[in-house]
Amino acid sequence: MELVATLPIWKYSNRKISIDDVKKLEVGYIQRKFNGPFEKVHRFLPFSINDKINVFGEMEKYTIEITEQSFKSNLFNLKWNVLITKDGFQEEFLIEDKTKVSTNPRLDYHKQAASYIFKKDAFNRTCSIFMKESNILCAEVTIEKLVPMNVRIKVKTDDLTSIEILGIFYIMNIVY
């Protein structure tokens, strides 16, 4: 399955990002979410101490909500809670930032009994998603154009949904 999306140039933008299939038909959306009016005004300051990154999106029968954990739990490495709703049934998972060098970002996504690694390679403009235990390539996100950033998502297995992949890639793109 292949999907295409255009990410905003300004990382503080909260406009809806349309997720299109190969035929240019909209199948869903994703957007950055702010918790209140203070956070919306706070993003215009040159320094932001308490800049939370939250994402909300919908696609077909899936709804995803990614929320950053509290300041205390994010002291050493960033963590997000992922809440996926499918037909009224909710599941909660965890994303951890395992980046050591900012030019090579890496996020670990813990879903049920499996763990997935999101590795972003800035030099060849790809983000590869692997299963941690078996190194099987589950999906790939390719950056086709930098300004505005057009991305193509290729899902190779049924382990992850495309809304999860794009949501986590969007988080990774905002942070790094």
Side-chain angles (χ1 to χ4, degrees):
M1 174 185 226
E2 283 192 29
L3 295 172
V4 178
T6 303
L7 301 182
I9 296 171
W10 191 42
K11 72 177 185 175
Y12 296 106
S13 174
N14 63 343
R15 74 171 177 88
K16 287 185 178 180
I17 300 166
S18 173
I19 304 169
D20 302 329
D21 61 358
V22 180
K23 298 175 186 173
K24 301 288 183 190
L25 297 173
E26 184 176 339
V27 293
Y29 75 91
I30 197 162
Q31 76 181 83
R32 186 168 179 180
K33 189 174 100 177
F34 294 101
N35 290 336
F38 178 71
E39 281 191 18
K40 287 182 182 179
V41 173
H42 189 260
R43 65 185 172 172
F44 293 108
L45 299 175
F47 56 89
S48 48
I49 298 169
N50 192 15
D51 187 23
K52 290 213 176 252
I53 299 171
N54 301 324
V55 172
F56 178 79
E58 290 181 359
M59 183 175 176
E60 296 167 355
K61 43 193 170 190
Y62 291 98
T63 303
I64 188 168
E65 189 171 347
I66 303 174
T67 55
E68 190 171 341
Q69 289 187 355
S70 68
F71 177 76
K72 187 177 178 183
S73 63
N74 282 337
L75 216 50
F76 297 109
N77 59 346
L78 294 171
K79 294 181 186 114
W80 291 270
N81 293 328
V82 179
L83 182 68
I84 298 175
T85 307
K86 179 184 176 188
D87 299 330
F89 181 68
Q90 292 184 344
E91 294 180 295
E92 190 166 348
F93 307 114
L94 178 70
I95 303 171
E96 287 184 295
D97 186 11
K98 297 292 184 177
T99 303
K100 294 180 183 172
V101 180
S102 65
T103 57
N104 191 17
R106 182 182 146 193
L107 295 179
D108 283 2
Y109 178 49
H110 305 285
K111 182 178 180 179
Q112 295 165 346
S115 291
Y116 300 93
I117 301 171
F118 283 70
K119 287 185 181 179
K120 186 175 176 185
D121 188 4
F123 298 112
N124 69 0
R125 296 183 183 178
T126 59
C127 177
S128 303
I129 297 101
F130 295 98
M131 284 191 82
K132 193 172 189 177
E133 297 82 22
S134 60
N135 279 342
I136 296 172
L137 183 65
C138 297
E140 192 172 49
V141 179
T142 307
I143 301 170
E144 295 180 337
K145 191 170 100 176
L146 282 176
V147 178
M149 187 179 287
N150 288 342
V151 295
R152 180 175 300 273
I153 304 153
K154 295 178 186 173
V155 182
K156 301 185 185 229
T157 62
D158 293 334
D159 299 340
L160 298 173
T161 62
S162 50
I163 192 79
E164 286 176 283
I165 294 167
L166 184 61
I168 296 171
F169 178 77
Y170 187 44
I171 291 279
M172 184 183 280
N173 191 43
I174 291 172
V175 174
Y176 295 104

mmCIF file of all heavy atoms in Angstrom, residues 106-119 128-140 156-160 165:
data_model
loop_
_atom_site.group_PDB
_atom_site.id
_atom_site.type_symbol
_atom_site.label_atom_id
_atom_site.label_comp_id
_atom_site.label_asym_id
_atom_site.label_seq_id
_atom_site.Cartn_x
_atom_site.Cartn_y
_atom_site.Cartn_z
ATOM 1 N N ARG A 106 16.418 8.077 15.971
ATOM 2 C CA ARG A 106 15.880 6.722 16.095
ATOM 3 C C ARG A 106 14.809 6.712 17.181
ATOM 4 O O ARG A 106 15.041 7.184 18.294
ATOM 5 C CB ARG A 106 17.002 5.768 16.463
ATOM 6 C CG ARG A 106 16.554 4.345 16.572
ATOM 7 C CD ARG A 106 17.677 3.451 16.989
ATOM 8 N NE ARG A 106 17.096 2.414 17.825
ATOM 9 C CZ ARG A 106 17.780 1.593 18.566
ATOM 10 N NH1 ARG A 106 19.074 1.677 18.598
ATOM 11 N NH2 ARG A 106 17.178 0.701 19.290
ATOM 12 N N LEU A 107 13.643 6.177 16.858
ATOM 13 C CA LEU A 107 12.562 6.027 17.819
ATOM 14 C C LEU A 107 12.207 4.556 17.933
ATOM 15 O O LEU A 107 12.202 3.836 16.938
ATOM 16 C CB LEU A 107 11.311 6.802 17.373
ATOM 17 C CG LEU A 107 11.402 8.319 17.303
ATOM 18 C CD1 LEU A 107 10.085 8.895 16.821
ATOM 19 C CD2 LEU A 107 11.762 8.920 18.630
ATOM 20 N N ASP A 108 11.921 4.110 19.156
ATOM 21 C CA ASP A 108 11.454 2.747 19.391
ATOM 22 C C ASP A 108 9.962 2.808 19.691
ATOM 23 O O ASP A 108 9.523 3.557 20.561
ATOM 24 C CB ASP A 108 12.178 2.108 20.572
ATOM 25 C CG ASP A 108 13.589 1.661 20.221
ATOM 26 O OD1 ASP A 108 14.018 1.891 19.074
ATOM 27 O OD2 ASP A 108 14.253 1.090 21.095
ATOM 28 N N TYR A 109 9.204 2.009 18.969
ATOM 29 C CA TYR A 109 7.759 1.963 19.118
ATOM 30 C C TYR A 109 7.391 0.599 19.674
ATOM 31 O O TYR A 109 7.615 -0.416 19.038
ATOM 32 C CB TYR A 109 7.093 2.211 17.761
ATOM 33 C CG TYR A 109 5.593 2.152 17.762
ATOM 34 C CD1 TYR A 109 4.848 2.842 18.708
ATOM 35 C CD2 TYR A 109 4.913 1.435 16.794
ATOM 36 C CE1 TYR A 109 3.465 2.801 18.691
ATOM 37 C CE2 TYR A 109 3.531 1.394 16.765
ATOM 38 C CZ TYR A 109 2.813 2.080 17.719
ATOM 39 O OH TYR A 109 1.445 2.040 17.703
ATOM 40 N N HIS A 110 6.856 0.579 20.898
ATOM 41 C CA HIS A 110 6.493 -0.672 21.570
ATOM 42 C C HIS A 110 4.998 -0.897 21.380
ATOM 43 O O HIS A 110 4.174 -0.166 21.934
ATOM 44 C CB HIS A 110 6.838 -0.604 23.055
ATOM 45 C CG HIS A 110 8.278 -0.261 23.302
ATOM 46 N ND1 HIS A 110 9.289 -1.158 23.109
ATOM 47 C CD2 HIS A 110 8.860 0.893 23.696
ATOM 48 C CE1 HIS A 110 10.439 -0.588 23.403
ATOM 49 N NE2 HIS A 110 10.203 0.668 23.759
ATOM 50 N N LYS A 111 4.666 -1.909 20.588
ATOM 51 C CA LYS A 111 3.273 -2.221 20.283
ATOM 52 C C LYS A 111 3.022 -3.673 20.639
ATOM 53 O O LYS A 111 3.631 -4.563 20.055
ATOM 54 C CB LYS A 111 2.986 -1.984 18.801
ATOM 55 C CG LYS A 111 1.552 -2.234 18.418
ATOM 56 C CD LYS A 111 1.329 -1.921 16.954
ATOM 57 C CE LYS A 111 -0.127 -2.183 16.621
ATOM 58 N NZ LYS A 111 -0.411 -1.886 15.227
ATOM 59 N N GLN A 112 2.148 -3.894 21.606
ATOM 60 C CA GLN A 112 1.801 -5.213 22.108
ATOM 61 C C GLN A 112 3.082 -5.969 22.483
ATOM 62 O O GLN A 112 3.831 -5.519 23.314
ATOM 63 C CB GLN A 112 0.944 -5.966 21.095
ATOM 64 C CG GLN A 112 -0.385 -5.291 20.887
ATOM 65 C CD GLN A 112 -1.107 -5.769 19.666
ATOM 66 O OE1 GLN A 112 -0.545 -6.423 18.798
ATOM 67 N NE2 GLN A 112 -2.373 -5.435 19.580
ATOM 68 N N ALA A 113 3.363 -7.104 21.883
ATOM 69 C CA ALA A 113 4.551 -7.884 22.245
ATOM 70 C C ALA A 113 5.735 -7.546 21.359
ATOM 71 O O ALA A 113 6.856 -7.980 21.626
ATOM 72 C CB ALA A 113 4.246 -9.367 22.142
ATOM 73 N N ALA A 114 5.539 -6.761 20.304
ATOM 74 C CA ALA A 114 6.614 -6.460 19.361
ATOM 75 C C ALA A 114 7.130 -5.041 19.563
ATOM 76 O O ALA A 114 6.433 -4.177 20.089
ATOM 77 C CB ALA A 114 6.110 -6.625 17.936
ATOM 78 N N SER A 115 8.371 -4.841 19.137
ATOM 79 C CA SER A 115 8.975 -3.518 19.149
ATOM 80 C C SER A 115 9.442 -3.188 17.737
ATOM 81 O O SER A 115 9.950 -4.054 17.025
ATOM 82 C CB SER A 115 10.167 -3.464 20.098
ATOM 83 O OG SER A 115 9.746 -3.576 21.420
ATOM 84 N N TYR A 116 9.286 -1.925 17.361
ATOM 85 C CA TYR A 116 9.666 -1.468 16.033
ATOM 86 C C TYR A 116 10.652 -0.331 16.162
ATOM 87 O O TYR A 116 10.559 0.488 17.073
ATOM 88 C CB TYR A 116 8.436 -1.009 15.251
ATOM 89 C CG TYR A 116 7.416 -2.098 15.080
ATOM 90 C CD1 TYR A 116 6.367 -2.240 15.984
ATOM 91 C CD2 TYR A 116 7.503 -2.998 14.041
ATOM 92 C CE1 TYR A 116 5.436 -3.246 15.843
ATOM 93 C CE2 TYR A 116 6.580 -4.018 13.887
ATOM 94 C CZ TYR A 116 5.549 -4.134 14.796
ATOM 95 O OH TYR A 116 4.635 -5.142 14.658
ATOM 96 N N ILE A 117 11.590 -0.260 15.236
ATOM 97 C CA ILE A 117 12.611 0.782 15.227
ATOM 98 C C ILE A 117 12.368 1.678 14.018
ATOM 99 O O ILE A 117 12.299 1.192 12.886
ATOM 100 C CB ILE A 117 14.026 0.181 15.150
ATOM 101 C CG1 ILE A 117 14.281 -0.734 16.344
ATOM 102 C CG2 ILE A 117 15.075 1.282 15.076
ATOM 103 C CD1 ILE A 117 15.559 -1.531 16.222
ATOM 104 N N PHE A 118 12.233 2.980 14.261
ATOM 105 C CA PHE A 118 12.122 3.975 13.201
ATOM 106 C C PHE A 118 13.481 4.645 13.072
ATOM 107 O O PHE A 118 13.908 5.366 13.966
ATOM 108 C CB PHE A 118 11.073 5.025 13.562
ATOM 109 C CG PHE A 118 9.656 4.562 13.390
ATOM 110 C CD1 PHE A 118 9.099 3.610 14.236
ATOM 111 C CD2 PHE A 118 8.885 5.082 12.376
ATOM 112 C CE1 PHE A 118 7.800 3.192 14.078
ATOM 113 C CE2 PHE A 118 7.573 4.670 12.214
ATOM 114 C CZ PHE A 118 7.028 3.717 13.057
ATOM 115 N N LYS A 119 14.181 4.413 11.961
ATOM 116 C CA LYS A 119 15.493 5.014 11.713
ATOM 117 C C LYS A 119 15.374 5.980 10.552
ATOM 118 O O LYS A 119 15.007 5.587 9.448
ATOM 119 C CB LYS A 119 16.525 3.947 11.359
ATOM 120 C CG LYS A 119 16.970 3.108 12.509
ATOM 121 C CD LYS A 119 18.068 2.168 12.067
ATOM 122 C CE LYS A 119 18.515 1.300 13.211
ATOM 123 N NZ LYS A 119 19.570 0.369 12.806
ATOM 124 N N SER A 128 13.321 4.166 7.631
ATOM 125 C CA SER A 128 13.019 2.739 7.564
ATOM 126 C C SER A 128 12.450 2.274 8.886
ATOM 127 O O SER A 128 12.923 2.667 9.949
ATOM 128 C CB SER A 128 14.285 1.947 7.242
ATOM 129 O OG SER A 128 14.840 2.400 6.037
ATOM 130 N N ILE A 129 11.455 1.403 8.818
ATOM 131 C CA ILE A 129 10.807 0.869 10.010
ATOM 132 C C ILE A 129 11.066 -0.633 10.037
ATOM 133 O O ILE A 129 10.655 -1.350 9.129
ATOM 134 C CB ILE A 129 9.301 1.165 10.029
ATOM 135 C CG1 ILE A 129 9.066 2.684 10.077
ATOM 136 C CG2 ILE A 129 8.638 0.536 11.224
ATOM 137 C CD1 ILE A 129 8.721 3.297 8.802
ATOM 138 N N PHE A 130 11.783 -1.080 11.078
ATOM 139 C CA PHE A 130 12.163 -2.483 11.228
ATOM 140 C C PHE A 130 11.528 -3.072 12.472
ATOM 141 O O PHE A 130 11.274 -2.355 13.434
ATOM 142 C CB PHE A 130 13.688 -2.625 11.398
ATOM 143 C CG PHE A 130 14.485 -2.200 10.216
ATOM 144 C CD1 PHE A 130 15.057 -0.951 10.157
ATOM 145 C CD2 PHE A 130 14.690 -3.070 9.161
ATOM 146 C CE1 PHE A 130 15.811 -0.563 9.079
ATOM 147 C CE2 PHE A 130 15.442 -2.696 8.071
ATOM 148 C CZ PHE A 130 16.008 -1.434 8.033
ATOM 149 N N MET A 131 11.329 -4.383 12.469
ATOM 150 C CA MET A 131 11.008 -5.092 13.703
ATOM 151 C C MET A 131 12.309 -5.234 14.476
ATOM 152 O O MET A 131 13.344 -5.569 13.894
ATOM 153 C CB MET A 131 10.419 -6.467 13.419
ATOM 154 C CG MET A 131 8.992 -6.422 12.963
ATOM 155 S SD MET A 131 8.245 -8.034 12.949
ATOM 156 C CE MET A 131 7.819 -8.192 14.664
ATOM 157 N N LYS A 132 12.281 -4.973 15.762
ATOM 158 C CA LYS A 132 13.498 -4.963 16.560
ATOM 159 C C LYS A 132 14.119 -6.352 16.690
ATOM 160 O O LYS A 132 15.326 -6.507 16.623
ATOM 161 C CB LYS A 132 13.190 -4.404 17.953
ATOM 162 C CG LYS A 132 14.395 -4.064 18.762
ATOM 163 C CD LYS A 132 13.997 -3.334 20.024
ATOM 164 C CE LYS A 132 15.201 -2.799 20.733
ATOM 165 N NZ LYS A 132 14.829 -2.039 21.917
ATOM 166 N N GLU A 133 13.293 -7.368 16.848
ATOM 167 C CA GLU A 133 13.811 -8.714 17.091
ATOM 168 C C GLU A 133 14.347 -9.371 15.826
ATOM 169 O O GLU A 133 15.354 -10.058 15.854
ATOM 170 C CB GLU A 133 12.722 -9.608 17.698
ATOM 171 C CG GLU A 133 12.235 -9.160 19.054
ATOM 172 C CD GLU A 133 11.187 -8.055 18.975
ATOM 173 O OE1 GLU A 133 10.525 -7.903 17.937
ATOM 174 O OE2 GLU A 133 11.059 -7.320 19.975
ATOM 175 N N SER A 134 13.685 -9.173 14.692
ATOM 176 C CA SER A 134 14.040 -9.934 13.501
ATOM 177 C C SER A 134 14.608 -9.106 12.354
ATOM 178 O O SER A 134 14.980 -9.660 11.331
ATOM 179 C CB SER A 134 12.808 -10.691 13.001
ATOM 180 O OG SER A 134 11.798 -9.765 12.680
ATOM 181 N N ASN A 135 14.698 -7.801 12.501
ATOM 182 C CA ASN A 135 15.207 -6.898 11.459
ATOM 183 C C ASN A 135 14.463 -7.029 10.135
ATOM 184 O O ASN A 135 15.044 -6.881 9.069
ATOM 185 C CB ASN A 135 16.705 -7.090 11.244
ATOM 186 C CG ASN A 135 17.513 -6.365 12.284
ATOM 187 O OD1 ASN A 135 17.015 -5.474 12.960
ATOM 188 N ND2 ASN A 135 18.760 -6.762 12.431
ATOM 189 N N ILE A 136 13.166 -7.328 10.190
ATOM 190 C CA ILE A 136 12.340 -7.385 8.993
ATOM 191 C C ILE A 136 11.871 -5.971 8.681
ATOM 192 O O ILE A 136 11.361 -5.273 9.547
ATOM 193 C CB ILE A 136 11.129 -8.319 9.201
ATOM 194 C CG1 ILE A 136 11.609 -9.743 9.437
ATOM 195 C CG2 ILE A 136 10.179 -8.248 8.032
ATOM 196 C CD1 ILE A 136 10.494 -10.689 9.831
ATOM 197 N N LEU A 137 12.028 -5.558 7.416
ATOM 198 C CA LEU A 137 11.581 -4.234 7.001
ATOM 199 C C LEU A 137 10.058 -4.235 6.889
ATOM 200 O O LEU A 137 9.486 -4.936 6.069
ATOM 201 C CB LEU A 137 12.211 -3.861 5.653
ATOM 202 C CG LEU A 137 11.894 -2.472 5.119
ATOM 203 C CD1 LEU A 137 12.477 -1.406 6.037
ATOM 204 C CD2 LEU A 137 12.434 -2.312 3.726
ATOM 205 N N CYS A 138 9.402 -3.437 7.745
ATOM 206 C CA CYS A 138 7.929 -3.384 7.774
ATOM 207 C C CYS A 138 7.377 -2.288 6.870
ATOM 208 O O CYS A 138 6.319 -2.462 6.264
ATOM 209 C CB CYS A 138 7.429 -3.147 9.182
ATOM 210 S SG CYS A 138 7.844 -4.467 10.305
ATOM 211 N N ALA A 139 8.074 -1.157 6.814
ATOM 212 C CA ALA A 139 7.599 -0.026 6.018
ATOM 213 C C ALA A 139 8.760 0.911 5.726
ATOM 214 O O ALA A 139 9.827 0.814 6.343
ATOM 215 C CB ALA A 139 6.492 0.713 6.746
ATOM 216 N N GLU A 140 8.498 1.822 4.808
ATOM 217 C CA GLU A 140 9.514 2.799 4.438
ATOM 218 C C GLU A 140 8.834 4.113 4.086
ATOM 219 O O GLU A 140 7.830 4.126 3.380
ATOM 220 C CB GLU A 140 10.311 2.278 3.247
ATOM 221 C CG GLU A 140 11.552 3.052 2.950
ATOM 222 C CD GLU A 140 12.384 2.365 1.885
ATOM 223 O OE1 GLU A 140 11.825 1.986 0.845
ATOM 224 O OE2 GLU A 140 13.584 2.221 2.109
ATOM 225 N N LYS A 156 4.871 -2.527 3.888
ATOM 226 C CA LYS A 156 5.220 -3.830 3.331
ATOM 227 C C LYS A 156 4.602 -4.995 4.093
ATOM 228 O O LYS A 156 4.485 -6.082 3.564
ATOM 229 C CB LYS A 156 6.734 -3.974 3.276
ATOM 230 C CG LYS A 156 7.362 -2.884 2.422
ATOM 231 C CD LYS A 156 8.824 -3.058 2.239
ATOM 232 C CE LYS A 156 9.333 -1.849 1.496
ATOM 233 N NZ LYS A 156 10.139 -2.098 0.398
ATOM 234 N N THR A 157 4.236 -4.783 5.359
ATOM 235 C CA THR A 157 3.590 -5.828 6.152
ATOM 236 C C THR A 157 2.314 -5.262 6.774
ATOM 237 O O THR A 157 2.071 -4.065 6.726
ATOM 238 C CB THR A 157 4.517 -6.342 7.275
ATOM 239 O OG1 THR A 157 4.805 -5.269 8.163
ATOM 240 C CG2 THR A 157 5.804 -6.928 6.721
ATOM 241 N N ASP A 158 1.530 -6.119 7.389
ATOM 242 C CA ASP A 158 0.278 -5.682 8.014
ATOM 243 C C ASP A 158 0.423 -5.419 9.511
ATOM 244 O O ASP A 158 -0.573 -5.262 10.206
ATOM 245 C CB ASP A 158 -0.806 -6.741 7.789
ATOM 246 C CG ASP A 158 -1.186 -6.850 6.327
ATOM 247 O OD1 ASP A 158 -1.016 -5.857 5.605
ATOM 248 O OD2 ASP A 158 -1.645 -7.932 5.914
ATOM 249 N N ASP A 159 1.650 -5.364 10.013
ATOM 250 C CA ASP A 159 1.871 -5.154 11.442
ATOM 251 C C ASP A 159 1.475 -3.748 11.890
ATOM 252 O O ASP A 159 0.889 -3.571 12.942
ATOM 253 C CB ASP A 159 3.338 -5.402 11.796
ATOM 254 C CG ASP A 159 3.780 -6.814 11.509
ATOM 255 O OD1 ASP A 159 2.908 -7.693 11.398
ATOM 256 O OD2 ASP A 159 4.989 -7.040 11.393
ATOM 257 N N LEU A 160 1.831 -2.759 11.101
ATOM 258 C CA LEU A 160 1.565 -1.361 11.431
ATOM 259 C C LEU A 160 0.606 -0.766 10.408
ATOM 260 O O LEU A 160 0.679 -1.089 9.221
ATOM 261 C CB LEU A 160 2.868 -0.551 11.420
ATOM 262 C CG LEU A 160 3.941 -0.959 12.415
ATOM 263 C CD1 LEU A 160 5.212 -0.178 12.150
ATOM 264 C CD2 LEU A 160 3.474 -0.715 13.824
ATOM 265 N N ILE A 165 2.368 4.913 11.112
ATOM 266 C CA ILE A 165 3.671 5.204 10.508
ATOM 267 C C ILE A 165 3.814 6.695 10.238
ATOM 268 O O ILE A 165 4.820 7.305 10.595
ATOM 269 C CB ILE A 165 3.858 4.379 9.224
ATOM 270 C CG1 ILE A 165 3.925 2.896 9.567
ATOM 271 C CG2 ILE A 165 5.100 4.811 8.467
ATOM 272 C CD1 ILE A 165 3.806 1.972 8.392
#
